[in-house]
Amino acid sequence: MMTLHTAQRIARLQQSDIRAMTRACERLGGINLGQGLGDLPAPLAVKQGAIQAIEANAATYTASEGIPELRVAIARKLARDNGIHADPAAEIVVTVGATGAFAATLQALLNPGDGVLLFEPYYGYHLNTILLTGNEPQFVTLNAPAFTLQEAVIEAAIRPNTRAIVLCTPANPSGQMLSQADIELISRVAAKHDLLVITDEIYEYIAYDGRQHISPASLPGLRDRTVMISGFSKTFSITGWRLGYVVAPAALARAINLVNDLYYVCAPAPLQRGVAAGLEQATDYLYQLKHDYQLRRDVLCEGLVTAGMRPVIPQGAYYVLADISEFGYADARSAAMALLETTGVASVPGSAFHQSVAGERLLRFCFAKDEATLRDAADRLKKFRPAAN
């Protein structure tokens, strides 16, 4: 009988708590506020653009960097909304989701053993992709509720093999947004240590209380060393379409596209056309998005407060971290399971986003749901009473 082996590169990987809680929620028939599964409808222009492409038999491979129409639409959007002027022919690569963009970037631009600085709480897929590519994750803990960047703390975390910093703004899971001062701080550190800056800006249009998203690559000192990653899953509520993109200096974009081609060949052809149509026509939708999500944020946070939790009010994205330390559970996973079993509402343990013990006092909730579902979840949460411990 053949001995079955698995690759050493996956030895440190585990199924994400996000997916584990989703499956537990499905078994119980609960309301899933764990995974970032947006329930809002996609804009009509996006859907119609994809339907028309399918009906026109746009089913063949595209160029690995994406169809020209979409790259031009992305370039227009970058100039209009991000203050970034990018050559659509040389500096933009369409990818299979932002996660595909991140994987291709690490493979193309870093060597095994290179250190990558992550700010915790971090997005778990960032960490696991870093591990899978053979890079070394290095951590800077940002403390709730302010999650403040401190230059001296970042400097202390940098090692001789550190080659890159990952920034997520608006952040998953904290909802924090980098300010101009934060980005200038990162620019100084990156220049001093000659670091690549990789930004995940997938939630760029979801910002609250009048805040404006700032793309780090819009700063002159960062443009030449930044790989900007974003996409359409969250903006257009099309998480299953798997469409993202990279914006980078031409030499870096070429390298990333080599890996993108090898791993994925190209992003889905008709869906690229749908998104291109959406970017050209859905401007009003993009600006309305933040208002709709702010209403949902406030509904959920009210429910969390009534349940005895202390939510960290997010500045952007569609997640909220809530402090559950007063409940007395041994760890965040126990608290999340108790909440699911007693209310039917799924969350994600904060430990999924931390290496440090700071995550054991937090749960993450997603409020990208239709309003009726979210109000039902909030009502259930208001009735939660922790079991005696």
Side-chain angles (χ1 to χ4, degrees):
M1 180 180 292
M2 177 181 177
T3 302
L4 300 179
H5 297 282
T6 58
Q8 292 181 353
R9 69 174 65 90
I10 69 168
R12 296 172 62 188
L13 303 185
Q14 298 180 10
Q15 181 190 57
S16 77
D17 279 336
I18 297 172
R19 290 201 178 276
M21 290 302 296
T22 292
R23 291 178 180 176
C25 183
E26 289 170 350
R27 288 195 299 271
L28 294 174
I31 298 175
N32 187 3
L33 301 189
Q35 193 168 1
L37 298 170
D39 287 349
L40 303 184
L44 184 61
V46 174
K47 292 188 286 188
Q48 288 182 335
I51 291 168
Q52 290 168 5
I54 291 169
E55 291 177 339
N57 295 315
T60 59
Y61 298 132
T62 74
S64 57
E65 65 270 25
I67 62 172
E69 300 96 313
L70 179 53
R71 286 181 282 122
V72 167
I74 292 169
R76 289 176 181 154
K77 168 261 176 207
L78 290 168
R80 181 191 71 214
D81 297 344
N82 302 91
I84 296 171
H85 297 279
D87 180 352
E91 297 183 311
I92 297 173
V93 179
V94 177
T95 60
V96 179
T99 52
F102 188 66
T105 296
L106 295 187
Q107 288 282 19
L109 304 184
L110 299 178
N111 293 314
D114 284 349
V116 182
L117 204 62
L118 282 180
F119 295 98
E120 70 167 8
Y122 49 75
Y123 176 47
Y125 274 70
H126 288 160
L127 172 60
N128 281 335
T129 305
I130 289 167
L131 293 172
L132 190 62
T133 54
N135 297 115
E136 179 187 320
Q138 299 164 347
F139 303 98
V140 174
T141 301
L142 306 182
N143 296 312
F147 301 106
T148 304
L149 298 186
Q150 298 181 50
E151 192 162 351
V153 174
I154 298 171
E155 289 271 6
I158 293 173
R159 303 174 189 171
N161 68 329
T162 305
R163 296 289 178 269
I165 298 177
V166 176
L167 303 176
C168 191
T169 181
N172 176 8
S174 70
Q176 291 299 109
M177 297 176 64
L178 294 180
S179 67
Q180 182 86 10
D182 291 330
I183 297 171
E184 290 171 353
L185 182 161
I186 294 295
S187 181
R188 291 193 299 271
V189 172
K192 179 178 178 181
H193 298 276
D194 194 21
L195 301 178
L196 179 71
V197 177
I198 304 171
T199 70
D200 183 338
E201 302 176 47
I202 192 74
Y203 299 99
E204 60 182 305
Y205 288 104
I206 306 175
Y208 309 124
D209 304 313
R211 293 182 178 86
Q212 295 297 315
H213 170 70
I214 304 172
S215 289
S218 66
L219 272 68
L222 280 174
R223 178 70 170 90
D224 292 340
R225 65 171 68 249
T226 297
V227 174
M228 175 190 178
I229 293 173
S230 194
F232 311 101
S233 293
K234 318 299 183 180
T235 300
F236 290 149
S237 296
I238 50 172
T239 54
W241 288 27
R242 310 311 307 135
L243 285 171
Y245 62 89
V246 164
V247 183
L252 301 186
R254 282 195 300 272
I256 293 166
N257 191 40
L258 285 173
V259 178
N260 182 55
D261 185 10
L262 179 62
Y263 274 9
Y264 310 110
V265 181
C266 66
L271 305 187
Q272 289 190 57
R273 298 184 187 280
V275 167
L279 280 176
E280 296 289 5
Q281 300 178 38
T283 304
D284 291 340
Y285 170 90
L286 296 176
Y287 292 111
Q288 182 63 34
L289 194 67
K290 62 185 69 178
H291 301 293
D292 295 339
Y293 276 126
Q294 184 164 329
L295 170 65
R296 288 163 170 77
R297 178 197 70 172
D298 295 344
V299 168
L300 177 59
C301 287
E302 179 189 352
L304 294 172
V305 169
T306 305
M309 305 182 210
R310 295 194 301 275
V312 180
I313 308 300
Q315 298 173 347
Y318 51 52
Y319 307 98
V320 57
L321 288 173
D323 191 318
I324 42 86
S325 55
E326 292 185 3
F327 288 168
Y329 289 99
D331 52 48
R333 185 186 293 270
S334 299
M337 288 306 302
L339 187 70
L340 176 60
E341 290 167 357
T342 58
T343 69
V345 176
S347 59
V348 180
S351 50
F353 313 104
H354 290 78
Q355 292 289 299
S356 69
V357 297
E360 299 297 354
R361 64 174 183 268
L362 298 169
L363 297 180
R364 190 198 76 171
F365 297 84
C366 171
F367 50 90
K369 301 293 177 185
D370 67 83
E371 189 174 347
T373 298
L374 198 61
R375 289 191 182 278
D376 183 8
D379 287 341
R380 296 186 187 200
L381 289 170
K382 290 175 183 178
K383 299 172 185 176
F384 177 65
R385 297 296 179 268
N389 290 282

